Amino acid sequence: MSDPSLLTHPVMRASASPVTKGQNVENINQNSDQRDKSLREAARSLEAGFLAEMLKSAGLGKSRESFGGGSGEDQFASFLRQAQAEEMVKTGGIGLAESLYQALKEREDAK
């Protein structure tokens, strides 16, 4: 790089700056933390979906014969089940999210 005008070009300037070892480790840690956060959120989402289906099977949200809310209640029952399932996961759930997270993390680490 004997031509000084090359250093004024943004691409050349970026590549000319040395990357320190600390920056690499910091980037890796940030990527790892972001990946773990994404995996944990995916695991929680899967557990919430599972719990919502279990609540549906248990009959939560079904219209009652007396004092029923009509078709509106039927249409919004799935939202109620999903919200309740998400709250269950936030309070610890049944432990499925942690098992799923560990399995997903092992799979990602194996790549």
Side-chain angles (χ1 to χ4, degrees):
M1 274 200 243
S2 59
D3 186 6
S5 66
L6 288 177
L7 292 177
T8 60
H9 190 276
V11 173
M12 293 304 291
R13 198 175 27 215
S15 64
S17 64
V19 176
T20 65
K21 193 173 190 179
Q23 287 173 331
N24 276 340
V25 170
E26 185 176 311
N27 288 341
I28 290 170
N29 288 339
Q30 286 176 349
N31 290 341
S32 179
D33 290 344
Q34 183 63 31
R35 184 196 66 167
D36 287 350
K37 185 177 177 183
S38 295
L39 290 176
R40 195 166 293 281
E41 185 57 38
R44 287 183 183 136
S45 179
L46 286 168
E47 182 176 7
F50 175 77
L51 288 173
E53 286 300 313
M54 293 299 102
L55 291 172
K56 181 180 178 181
S57 294
L60 183 71
K62 284 187 180 178
S63 294
R64 295 178 193 85
E65 296 299 319
S66 61
F67 303 112
S71 62
E73 184 177 351
D74 292 337
Q75 292 173 352
F76 289 98
S78 65
F79 293 118
L80 173 65
R81 284 190 300 270
Q82 186 65 33
Q84 288 177 328
E86 288 170 3
E87 286 301 313
M88 291 170 70
V89 171
K90 284 180 188 176
T91 60
I94 59 174
L96 183 60
E98 186 60 31
S99 296
L100 289 169
Y101 168 73
Q102 293 299 330
L104 290 170
K105 188 174 178 183
E106 284 178 20
R107 185 174 179 159
E108 283 294 313
D109 289 343
K111 286 183 179 180

